[in-house]
Amino acid sequence: MLSIAAILLSLVLLMVLAYRGISVLILAPAMALLAVLLSPGAPLLASYTQVFMTGLGNFVALFFPLFLLGAIFGKLMEDSGAARVIAQRIVQWLGSRRAVLAIVLACAVLTYGGVSLFVVAFAVYPIAVELFRAVDVPKRLIPGTIALGAFTFTMTALPGTPAIQNAIPMPYFGTTPFAAPGLGLIAGVVMLGLGAAWLLWRARRASIAGEGYGHAPDAPDASAAVPRNVRPHAQGKGHDIAELGHVGGVAPPAHLPGFGQAIAPIVAVVVLNWLFSVQLLPRIDTGYLASPLYGATRLETVRGTWAIIAALTLSNLLLVLLAHRSLATLKATLDAGASAAVLPIFNTASQVGYGAVIASLAGFALIRDAVLGIAPGNPLISLSIAVNLLAGITGSASGGMSIALQTLGDTYLEMGRAAGIAPDLLHRVTAIATGGLDALPHNGAVITLLAICNLTHRQSYLDILVVAVLSPLAALALVVTLGTVFGSF
């Protein structure tokens, strides 16, 4: 019982202190070692060097290319003006009277293509201000509108998304980014439908009550761009908070690319991802992977990661080729993108190391058995609960998912096989489960979005709660139900 109390204390302190702005790079090892100190018989230094650092290092080795290439892609989209061009064109197509849907879809297209949600928020927010003011929709609805398009279905549900939330389960379950595409599409429609219905209802209610756009200041406060209590790690919803230093207040380039040039790299990411994962890689001879030199693994374990690496690499090259005239200094953009990748991955990797230490303690076995004991005949239910709770506690979708899979991934895979559940279904349920409780008020992406919009939790968090927490939870429940009845599709 003492070990369980130590684990719970360390989790609570991790959440509280991270919310108060202490770096996860410091907190994760500190809280892990605190749990070790309070657990009888656990070796302190060995837990740090042999367990924590091994877990951290393994995560970096697996996912650093994805973080690096994704951050560079987002930075190229931002600096070239491509993100702004896409958002403006979608708004033009849908018209000002569909302001809410136009902003949601603009955010969705950008994030589904791999653009960081922080880049999207800064690029789309000025457009949302102009549009909402023109049709007299309350400004307080802007954060919820951006959150629906950027925080939800494009990150966890839609098949093929290059988001890290869709990539992390692949090596654990031997899947691809297109795992359970039918269920993913259904979940995406549910999230979009429920979220849009809520926002449109709120807009109608405001109109009936005579509430207009309002008088809140529109320009993001530079001092609030990184609030004091923002968690340094916001990877739970995309890329890291460090990107704000490169995004906020950046003037658009003098020469903007055309819409075709802007959208082509995003289309390329999705199409190439599918081609590599489904068509090309399965046809090549990869027998050499069985050699200890290459990790004694199989293509199924690395196929998804290889596909995203190849797709992002080629799409980055295509973006540079098409938008080179819009990039003032390519070297500076690449350097900024590379720098923006470092802190996110080490923050997430530190959380993975924390999870590895917690899993090594005696008390974790009791917690694990309790979680696995929930609906023992259906591991999808306990998997959903475990991932969602850890994402909520850490305030990070990828962090919570990584801890869950690092400690219980093999167990759930075996339970799934025993229950006849396809790995693709485990992958999709895990990804969708990361979106929900992670968007509680202490989440760094939530706090940053409100700061960008110059609004408070009291003014706008209710809408974020509905579109980014309750709607994804409803979609998750539906996917678990459909997956249980019909299996993976």
Side-chain angles (χ1 to χ4, degrees), residues 24 59 67 116-118 147 150-152 154-156 163-166 168 231-241 243 343-345 347-349 351 387 390-392 394-402 430-440 442-446 468:
V24 173
F59 184 87
F67 279 77
S116 160
L117 71 92
F118 295 111
F151 289 14
T152 59
T154 56
M155 290 291 179
T156 63
I164 195 67
Q165 291 88 341
N166 193 40
I168 289 176
R231 299 185 65 235
H233 167 60
Q235 177 62 26
K237 288 294 185 184
H239 289 299
D240 191 78
I241 200 74
E243 290 185 20
L343 189 58
I345 191 167
N347 278 333
T348 306
Q351 290 180 321
V387 172
L390 286 168
T394 59
S396 165
S398 59
M401 174 198 289
S402 298
T430 302
I432 295 172
T434 64
L437 297 184
D438 68 314
L440 291 175
H442 65 286
N443 174 266
V446 169

Side-chain angles (χ1 to χ4, degrees), residues 100-475:
V100 170
L101 293 179
I103 296 302
V104 169
L105 292 180
C107 293
V109 169
L110 292 171
T111 51
Y112 186 55
V115 182
S116 160
L117 71 92
F118 295 111
V119 173
V120 171
F122 273 108
V124 174
Y125 170 69
I127 301 170
V129 166
E130 296 172 5
L131 199 57
F132 277 48
R133 184 190 289 115
V135 296
D136 213 23
V137 173
K139 183 190 175 185
R140 60 183 172 82
L141 298 182
I142 291 180
T145 303
I146 293 176
L148 176 59
F151 289 14
T152 59
F153 57 98
T154 56
M155 290 291 179
T156 63
L158 295 188
T161 175
I164 195 67
Q165 291 88 341
N166 193 40
I168 289 176
M170 295 188 304
Y172 294 97
F173 299 134
T175 49
T176 75
F178 294 87
L183 288 170
L185 288 172
I186 291 172
V189 169
V190 170
M191 293 182 205
L192 174 59
L194 291 178
W198 168 264
L199 292 170
L200 292 173
W201 178 76
R202 293 274 282 174
R204 284 195 299 271
R205 285 285 302 272
S207 177
I208 293 171
E211 179 186 358
Y213 178 79
H215 303 289
D218 292 327
D221 182 359
S223 64
V226 186
R228 181 187 61 81
N229 60 342
V230 164
R231 299 185 65 235
H233 167 60
Q235 177 62 26
K237 288 294 185 184
H239 289 299
D240 191 78
I241 200 74
E243 290 185 20
L244 293 176
H246 303 296
V247 178
V250 175
H255 180 277
L256 291 175
F259 178 74
Q261 293 174 308
I263 198 70
I266 289 181
V267 175
V269 169
V270 179
V271 173
L272 290 172
N273 198 348
W274 179 81
L275 283 175
F276 279 105
S277 62
V278 178
Q279 298 294 329
L280 300 180
L281 291 177
R283 298 182 181 181
I284 65 176
D285 181 12
T286 56
Y288 56 85
L289 289 174
S291 167
L293 177 63
Y294 301 108
T297 187
R298 300 173 301 131
L299 176 63
E300 288 74 15
T301 303
V302 298
R303 178 174 52 160
T305 304
W306 284 7
I308 293 181
I309 289 174
L312 282 173
T313 299
L314 293 177
S315 298
N316 276 323
L317 293 174
L318 177 63
L319 180 50
V320 171
L321 179 65
L322 294 177
H324 67 278
R325 294 178 58 196
S326 306
L327 294 169
T329 308
L330 178 59
K331 179 181 180 299
T333 296
L334 295 177
D335 286 347
S339 297
V342 175
L343 189 58
I345 191 167
F346 275 97
N347 278 333
T348 306
S350 292
Q351 290 180 321
V352 173
Y354 168 84
V357 172
I358 295 301
S360 71
L361 302 178
F364 181 79
L366 300 175
I367 297 175
R368 178 197 61 204
D369 293 342
V371 172
L372 295 177
I374 301 173
N378 188 349
L380 295 178
I381 296 176
S382 63
L383 175 62
S384 301
I385 293 173
V387 172
N388 235 307
L389 285 177
L390 286 168
I393 289 170
T394 59
S396 165
S398 59
M401 174 198 289
S402 298
I403 292 174
L405 293 180
Q406 180 82 9
T407 55
L408 296 171
D410 291 340
T411 301
Y412 278 116
L413 183 59
E414 290 303 317
M415 291 175 63
R417 287 172 177 164
I421 297 174
D424 279 10
L425 180 53
L426 293 173
H427 173 131
R428 189 53 56 204
V429 167
T430 302
I432 295 172
T434 64
L437 297 184
D438 68 314
L440 291 175
H442 65 286
N443 174 266
V446 169
I447 297 171
T448 303
L449 175 60
L450 291 172
I452 291 171
C453 298
N454 257 327
L455 294 166
T456 65
H457 280 77
R458 183 174 182 178
Q459 292 171 301
S460 296
Y461 182 72
L462 175 61
D463 300 307
I464 297 175
L465 174 70
V466 173
V467 305
V469 177
L470 300 183
S471 296
L473 289 177

Side-chain angles (χ1 to χ4, degrees), residues 56-133:
L56 182 152
N58 288 341
F59 184 87
V60 172
L62 278 172
F63 296 111
F64 180 71
L66 305 188
F67 279 77
L68 175 65
L69 292 169
I72 290 175
F73 185 80
K75 189 60 182 169
L76 287 169
M77 288 292 293
E78 173 207 346
D79 283 4
S80 67
R84 178 174 290 272
V85 167
I86 293 170
Q88 289 174 335
R89 180 59 63 89
I90 291 174
V91 167
Q92 290 172 3
W93 283 344
L94 293 180
S96 60
R97 293 191 176 277
R98 296 183 178 88
V100 170
L101 293 179
I103 296 302
V104 169
L105 292 180
C107 293
V109 169
L110 292 171
T111 51
Y112 186 55
V115 182
S116 160
L117 71 92
F118 295 111
V119 173
V120 171
F122 273 108
V124 174
Y125 170 69
I127 301 170
V129 166
E130 296 172 5
L131 199 57
F132 277 48
R133 184 190 289 115

